[in-house]
Amino acid sequence: MADIPLNQLMQQRRKKLETLTNQGIPVFAYNFKRTAQIADLINQYEKLEPEESSNKYFSVAGRLMALRRHGKASFADLAENNISIQLYLALDVLGEEQYNLFSHLDIGDIVGVNGEVFKTRRGELSIKAKSFTLLTKSLRPLPEKWHGLKDVEIRYRQRYTDLIMNPDVKQVFAIREKAIKSLRDFFINRDFIEVDTPVLQQIYGGATARPFKTFHNALDTNLYLRIAPELYLKRLLVGGYEKVFELGRNFRNEGLSVRHNPEFTMLEAYQAYGDYEDMMALTEELIKTMALEATGDTKVTYQEQELDFGKKFERLTMLEAIKKYSKLDLTYEDSLNDLRKAAKQAGAPADKEWGKGKIINAIFEKNVEHHLFQPTFITEFPVEVSPLARRDRNDPNVTERFELIIAQREIANAFSELTDPIEQRKRFEQQLKIESKEVVDRQLDEDFLRALEYGMPPAGGLGIGVDRLIMLLTDSYSIRDVILFPHLRPEK
């Protein structure tokens, strides 16, 4: 069969479809009433003795994954949600008309079956078909073998086929579902209110990224898919909400990689009267809870290394981490010239217009992040790279901000929120000066600054890259493995 060209196999299936249609046999059913699911039947009757029967009839449905025709008796494997049971189809039970119909079926067809559960003489749990109904005729043959990485692009592009052929894929998304439910329950149980903020924004903000741009005809204005919901969530704190969170999609018009997809899921949460220490404690408890509820354990294996979310997460300031992993003993008292020399020594960029903080951050990203595997909070980020974070109450060079690094990648970002509208305006203006020219149409968000002028309570804010966290919980190397339909280059 593997030697038969695909178009020839498809032609054969269309001929079968034409034959069935000409005989008045429906090939695309409207519905089918099931009385049981295959998994439940297996659990209920797996202890039957050989040749013992349930003595009860059930109606089940699924996709044919194997066919074995043998004269007056045939066998097939029927799969539902990647769980299979054997079908036994006998001429003397089905009758000649139904049994002949079976000869027109192919692997991939979806059928409904009514029959009783029994165990064969060899001890294989099966369904003895009393009748069956063709529900959907499959016109394209399934791949006989699925070679994993060899066909990785096809797997992402044709996720529907991937889900049929690879049971492990559904397990990944089952864990994702449990993790997201756990995340949502975690915040709701702590009196956070889930909200929705605009995805189309007239002024995008809350992060530094290139946006997707569109035009609204009725409003006669440019709009942008949000890169973050942050500034709208803070407006709610001004309006009197004390605990809010949003779980939704963000969009960034940037490159594709194993860690980046243009459309991704983020969690952002804000708590009035808290600070970044509160968010740090919340984050640690959240990830421990999600791991336990999604996988059954606080320890998971990622890329052949164990991650332990049950232990206290390590905490290092950025300067401590640089000293620990690159042996560079830096301070904000060092001259710009000395810091540029240190950056050169570390192989990190240090553009002429950069200040001390941005150079130190570049050294950290180049020399430290790849050393951090176990969960580690990095604190005291420079003011220059933290335009929305509050200055540290003890050191004006840095902010009360942390990033949680796990398995060499940023998972969470949080800080004590900047509530001073005068300082926030200065930060925004400075950000506009130093941002790359590739960042299009960046504007000051005057409405957000106006909201701050009415008064926002002290607050802690948190953002978590949900897809990256799911990658850790499912031992997935690429972000595409945890997104059902990731973005790919156009198919040739």
Side-chain angles (χ1 to χ4, degrees):
M1 183 175 178
D3 297 330
I4 303 175
L6 179 61
N7 60 350
Q8 187 176 338
L9 289 173
M10 292 172 65
Q11 288 173 10
Q12 291 175 2
R13 289 180 178 233
R14 278 166 171 74
K15 286 180 180 178
K16 290 181 180 179
L17 179 142
E18 185 178 353
T19 298
L20 293 171
T21 302
N22 290 339
Q23 293 176 4
I25 298 172
V27 291
F28 298 107
Y30 282 93
N31 65 349
F32 182 79
K33 302 297 184 184
R34 293 181 297 176
T35 61
Q37 292 190 304
I38 291 173
D40 294 334
L41 294 181
I42 292 173
N43 290 334
Q44 186 175 355
Y45 293 109
E46 61 183 349
K47 294 183 179 179
L48 286 177
E49 296 295 328
E51 299 187 300
E52 185 182 1
S53 171
S54 64
N55 294 315
K56 185 178 180 181
Y57 285 87
F58 301 95
S59 293
V60 297
R63 189 183 296 273
L64 295 174
M65 298 302 292
L67 296 171
R68 300 176 292 282
R69 296 184 174 97
H70 303 290
K72 297 182 179 180
S74 297
F75 296 88
D77 291 343
L78 185 70
E80 177 189 48
N81 293 322
N82 296 110
I83 298 174
S84 296
I85 193 167
Q86 179 173 267
L87 299 180
Y88 172 69
L89 304 105
L91 174 62
D92 61 351
V93 176
L94 289 171
E96 187 171 345
E97 183 177 341
Q98 277 245 305
Y99 193 73
N100 287 339
L101 172 59
F102 181 71
S103 66
H104 289 85
L105 300 188
D106 292 294
I107 292 173
D109 289 353
I110 299 173
V111 300
V113 178
N114 180 262
E116 59 179 339
V117 181
F118 78 108
K119 266 197 178 171
T120 65
R121 188 178 304 171
R122 294 182 178 181
E124 184 166 358
L125 195 66
S126 307
I127 295 176
K128 183 184 293 184
K130 179 182 178 183
S131 64
F132 72 88
T133 305
L134 176 60
L135 303 178
T136 300
K137 183 65 184 165
S138 172
L139 299 182
R140 183 178 291 266
L142 295 170
E144 289 195 15
K145 294 181 180 178
W146 204 246
H147 297 293
L149 291 177
K150 182 178 178 182
D151 296 315
V152 66
E153 177 131 344
I154 297 176
R155 289 182 55 203
Y156 298 142
R157 198 176 296 281
Q158 299 180 17
R159 180 67 86 186
Y160 39 87
T161 312
D162 194 24
L163 290 166
I164 294 170
M165 303 303 296
N166 291 324
D168 290 346
V169 175
K170 276 194 176 176
Q171 179 60 22
V172 166
F173 289 101
I175 292 174
R176 181 186 176 104
E177 179 186 356
K178 290 178 183 177
I180 289 177
K181 181 180 184 303
S182 173
L183 183 154
R184 181 172 270 116
D185 290 346
F186 180 91
F187 281 100
I188 290 173
N189 291 338
R190 285 158 181 78
D191 299 323
F192 282 77
I193 296 172
E194 184 172 12
V195 297
D196 294 305
T197 62
V199 172
L200 285 171
Q201 302 178 350
Q202 288 190 341
I203 298 176
Y204 66 93
T208 300
R210 187 180 179 90
F212 289 94
K213 181 179 179 179
T214 188
F215 185 82
H216 193 287
N217 294 327
L219 294 176
D220 190 28
T221 188
N222 290 325
L223 292 174
Y224 306 89
L225 287 176
R226 71 177 178 200
I227 60 174
E230 178 169 349
L231 302 187
Y232 282 93
L233 292 171
K234 290 180 181 178
R235 285 171 167 92
L236 295 179
L237 297 189
V238 172
Y241 282 86
E242 293 192 0
K243 289 182 174 182
V244 294
F245 78 97
E246 183 167 9
L247 183 63
R249 292 300 182 101
N250 290 350
F251 307 84
R252 298 183 183 179
N253 194 357
E254 298 175 342
L256 300 168
S257 76
V258 295
R259 301 183 184 185
H260 299 90
N261 192 66
E263 178 181 357
F264 58 97
T265 302
M266 280 287 293
L267 174 282
E268 290 209 15
Y270 293 84
Q271 178 177 328
Y273 309 108
D275 62 9
Y276 84 126
E277 289 282 356
D278 295 306
M279 305 318 286
M280 205 177 303
L282 191 76
T283 302
E284 189 165 344
E285 186 180 358
L286 168 65
I287 292 178
K288 178 181 177 181
T289 300
M290 287 177 67
L292 187 61
E293 294 185 357
T295 72
D297 200 342
T298 56
K299 293 180 181 178
V300 300
T301 299
Y302 185 73
Q303 303 300 291
E304 299 183 349
Q305 295 189 60
E306 184 180 84
L307 287 169
D308 190 349
F309 298 123
K311 288 183 177 179
K312 186 76 174 173
F313 293 2
E314 185 175 10
R315 300 187 183 192
L316 294 170
T317 68
M318 183 175 285
L319 292 180
E320 288 172 345
I322 291 172
K323 184 175 181 180
K324 179 176 180 178
Y325 291 105
S326 68
K327 311 305 180 187
L328 291 172
D329 192 1
L330 308 179
T331 74
Y332 286 92
E333 303 304 317
D334 295 338
S335 68
L336 264 173
N337 191 47
D338 286 342
L339 288 174
R340 289 196 178 100
K341 288 179 181 178
K344 185 176 181 180
Q345 177 185 339
D351 290 0
K352 291 181 180 180
E353 65 270 21
W354 289 4
K356 295 180 181 181
K358 197 159 186 180
I359 294 172
I360 288 171
N361 186 68
I363 293 171
F364 168 79
E365 290 181 346
K366 179 70 177 178
N367 285 269
V368 178
E369 281 190 345
H370 65 275
H371 290 289
L372 303 176
F373 194 84
Q374 292 300 324
T376 305
F377 288 117
I378 300 296
T379 64
E380 297 188 7
F381 275 70
V383 172
E384 276 180 88
V385 297
S386 311
L388 292 157
R390 190 163 191 161
R391 287 183 191 268
D392 188 277
R393 60 200 80 185
N394 299 312
D395 184 350
N397 295 297
V398 298
T399 58
E400 293 193 352
R401 172 187 171 190
F402 73 78
E403 281 188 3
L404 175 62
I405 311 293
I406 308 175
Q408 306 169 333
R409 65 198 64 181
E410 175 198 341
I411 300 298
N413 183 29
F415 30 85
S416 300
E417 299 298 335
L418 180 56
T419 58
D420 179 347
I422 298 172
E423 175 68 14
Q424 184 65 82
R425 180 179 290 276
K426 290 178 182 177
R427 299 271 197 94
F428 278 162
E429 290 172 346
Q430 182 64 24
Q431 184 183 22
L432 288 175
K433 289 179 182 178
I434 65 175
E435 275 187 346
S436 165
K437 293 179 182 178
E438 292 184 356
V439 178
V440 298
D441 302 340
R442 176 74 90 177
Q443 302 175 50
L444 281 182
D445 191 334
E446 292 289 353
D447 181 69
F448 174 67
L449 293 171
R450 176 170 57 195
L452 288 185
E453 288 172 352
Y454 280 103
M456 180 177 126
L462 166 68
I464 292 179
V466 174
D467 303 307
R468 290 185 179 181
L469 183 53
I470 303 297
M471 288 169 64
L472 302 178
L473 298 180
T474 57
D475 192 16
S476 298
Y477 175 72
S478 172
I479 195 170
R480 295 178 181 182
D481 293 325
V482 299
I483 296 175
L484 279 169
F485 298 101
H487 289 276
L488 301 164
R489 297 187 187 282
E491 187 174 8
K492 294 182 180 180

